[in-house]
């Protein structure tokens, strides 16, 4: 038995209750974090995982129950109070200021004085200590998603956190980057800190966690040592009898034959696309002489490590980033599911119905002679809420009140409401649990079966391989097809070293 198993708790959440209007988000939830442990917190989207940790971080206030730190009752009224108690939270959605540099963002979060030379040295010392290098002078808005995630971890550690709450930290990272985050968690544990890992990836939880807690609809269904547990057991605690149908199979299902006789709905020839930076500024070339054909009924997956041009390719096909050179023909209507639903997919303060109206624009059926039929918009939104199993109080609920997975369902439901001929999806299951991810995959396959051409990129290579009928690799802006019969290992290697000579 390790010290983590027998030590008195650093953090104890006892009988936590939380309501959001009529939604009972937490129902007497208990959670105990001991010194020097990694504790995985699992559950479906909307199960209450993030809400529970936001209460620990002072971002939400409980409606019942108690919080104890080092055995003493505490009221954590704000994130500043939480930081003062040694609690830092790394959010699923990034909180850095795009216009500020990496060093300035760290200083802002930790309350460090902004003396340029001294600040830079202090930031570099932190990065060296935790083995997470970044350019201190680079604006946060120009960082890739993976680098933004790294910055979020650095911000939390700069505040002197002994308890680090990681909310889906590997949701959009490549395999090598996932290993880096798990290594950081292990290093922190070895240094005596404690880490809460909120994740939907059961293999990660079993690989790194000392203990696991599972929430289902606000109720704790399992708290146990991770040793000896299986993914099947954890999935069953999360979703019950559905678990067997949701877990990935050992051998992926055979891919369907490429529909060679179907009409091409996307055709790109010798396409160059600029890299998009802060504020939409275009600089450099992200995509170089890419050629691509996607036919009706195909799901073409792009396998790539973050920052290799795949995002610009998807944006170009979606009509959001005009190419510099080359030929691009796309049959509309085109729908786009962005990777960051909070900044590109939804406006949190708007209602679900307002987000539907904004996203579908003038082509929506509720637009009549320039006027919006709000009754029709709410009725259509209510239909999508029901059809996609979105947990929300109704069409007038603000989007910010939904869990991340339910927000993603709304974004996809809105995209499919367009009846698109071409559907472009970027990390469509980011932050989704087993059930929601399986549902997302089913919807994308249904769209392809209905005659749409689907172009998708996911940071998880296994997801790309499982979902796609055809896989292309993108490395250093060059798009190419892997050799016939290439497996996961070979495709992963091509992602890093580029097209074979």
């Amino acid at each position: 038995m390790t010290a983590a198993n027998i030590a008195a708790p650093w953090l104890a959440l006892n009988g936590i209750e939380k309501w959001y209007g009529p939604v009972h988000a937490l129902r007497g939830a208990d959670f105990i974090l001991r010194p020097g442990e990694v504790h995985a917190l699992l559950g479906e989207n909307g199960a209450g995982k993030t809400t529970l940790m936001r209460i620990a971080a002072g971002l939400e206030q409980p409606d019942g129950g108690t919080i104890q730190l080092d055995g003493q009752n505490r009221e954590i009224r704000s994130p500043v109070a939480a930081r003062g108690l040694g609690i830092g939270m790394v959010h699923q959605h990034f909180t850095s200021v795009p216009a500020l540099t990496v060093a300035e963002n760290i200083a802002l979060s930790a309350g460090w004085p902004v003396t340029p030379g001294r600040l830079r040295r202090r930031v570099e010392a932190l990065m060296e200590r935790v083995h997470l290098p970044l350019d201190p002078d680079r604006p946060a808005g120009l960082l890739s998603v993976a680098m933004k995630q790294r910055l979020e971890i650095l911000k939390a550690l700069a505040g002197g956190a002994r308890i680090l709450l990681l909310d889906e930290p590997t949701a959009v990272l490549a395999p090598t980057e996932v290993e880096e985050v798990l290594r950081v968690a292990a290093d922190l544990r070895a240094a005596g800190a404690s880490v809460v890992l909120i994740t939907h990836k059961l293999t990660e939880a079993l690989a790194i966690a000392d203990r696991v807690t599972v929430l289902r609809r606000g109720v704790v269904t399992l708290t146990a040592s991770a040793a000896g547990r299986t993914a099947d057991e954890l999935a069953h605690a999360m979703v019950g009898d559905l678990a067997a149908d949701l877990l990935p199979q050992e051998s992926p299902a055979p891919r369907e034959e490429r529909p060679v006789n179907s009409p091409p709905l996307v055709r790109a020839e010798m396409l160059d696309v600029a890299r998009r930076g802060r504020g939409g500024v275009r600089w450099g070339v992200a995509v170089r002489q890419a050629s691509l054909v996607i036919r009706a009924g195909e799901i073409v997956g792009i396998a790539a490590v973050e920052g290799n041009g795949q995002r610009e390719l998807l944006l170009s096909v979606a009509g959001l980033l005009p190419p510099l050179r080359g030929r691009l023909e796309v049959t509309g209507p085109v729908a786009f599911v962005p990777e960051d639903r909070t900044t590109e997919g939804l406006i949190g303060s708007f209602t679900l119905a307002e987000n539907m109206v904004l996203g579908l624009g003038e082509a929506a059926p509720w637009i009549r002679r320039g006027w919006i039929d709000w009754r029709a918009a709410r009725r259509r939104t209510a239909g999508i809420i029901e059809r996609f199993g979105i947990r929300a109080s109704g069409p007038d609920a603000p989007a910010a009140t939904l869990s991340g997975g339910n927000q993603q369902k709304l974004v996809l439901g809105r995209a499919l409401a367009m009846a698109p001929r071409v559907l472009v999806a970027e990390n469509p299951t980011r932050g989704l649990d087993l059930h929601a991810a399986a549902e997302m995959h089913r919807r994308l396959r249904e769209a392809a079966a209905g005659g749409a051409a689907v172009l998708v990129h996911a940071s998880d290579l296994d997801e790309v391989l499982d979902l796609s009928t055809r896989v292309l690799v993108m490395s250093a802006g060059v798009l190419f097809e892997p050799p016939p019969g290439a497996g996961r290992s070979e495709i992963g290697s091509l992602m890093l070293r580029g097209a074979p000579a």
Side-chain angles (χ1 to χ4, degrees), residues 50-80:
T50 299
T51 299
L52 187 62
M53 289 302 104
R54 283 174 63 86
I55 287 172
L59 291 157
E60 301 275 359
Q61 297 304 308
D63 295 318
T66 61
I67 302 173
Q68 291 184 331
L69 279 167
D70 301 315
Q72 299 198 8
N73 285 355
R74 296 277 190 174
E75 289 187 359
I76 306 177
R77 292 294 184 183
S78 69
V80 173

Side-chain angles (χ1 to χ4, degrees), residues 304-329:
V305 175
E306 184 68 38
N308 275 267
Q310 70 274 20
R311 173 150 226 263
E312 286 80 2
L313 177 65
L314 267 62
L315 289 171
S316 189
V317 172
L320 300 173
L321 188 58
L324 294 171
R325 289 171 289 277
R327 178 184 174 193
L328 177 62
E329 298 175 355

Side-chain angles (χ1 to χ4, degrees), residues 97-136:
V97 180
L100 298 183
T101 67
V102 166
E104 289 166 344
N105 270 287
I106 292 173
L108 179 65
S109 177
W112 292 352
V114 185
T115 306
R118 183 181 174 189
L119 174 61
R120 197 177 201 283
R121 289 190 297 273
R122 194 171 184 180
V123 168
E124 287 175 338
L126 170 67
M127 293 175 181
E128 184 176 353
R129 176 167 59 86
V130 298
H131 309 292
L132 289 175
L134 280 177
D135 179 357

Side-chain angles (χ1 to χ4, degrees), residues 229-250:
R229 297 285 166 182
T230 66
D232 285 311
E233 288 179 276
L234 298 182
H236 190 271
M238 288 169 59
V239 299
D241 294 335
L242 292 171
D245 296 328
L246 301 178
L247 283 172
Q249 303 302 309
E250 290 185 7

Side-chain angles (χ1 to χ4, degrees), residues 266 268 271 292-295 297-303 309-319 328 330 334-337 421-428 444 447-448 452-458 464 467-472 474 479:
V266 177
L271 204 66
L292 169 71
V293 173
I294 310 176
R295 297 180 179 275
E298 276 196 294
I299 302 179
V300 172
I302 306 296
Q310 70 274 20
R311 173 150 226 263
E312 286 80 2
L313 177 65
L314 267 62
L315 289 171
S316 189
V317 172
L328 177 62
V330 181
V334 181
F336 179 55
V337 178
R421 299 296 309 282
V422 174
L423 177 61
V424 180
E426 184 181 26
N427 275 309
L444 293 174
V454 180
L455 176 63
V456 63
H457 163 69
V464 174
L467 180 60
S468 307
T469 56
R470 183 161 56 99
V471 174
L472 300 176
M474 198 158 196
L479 185 69

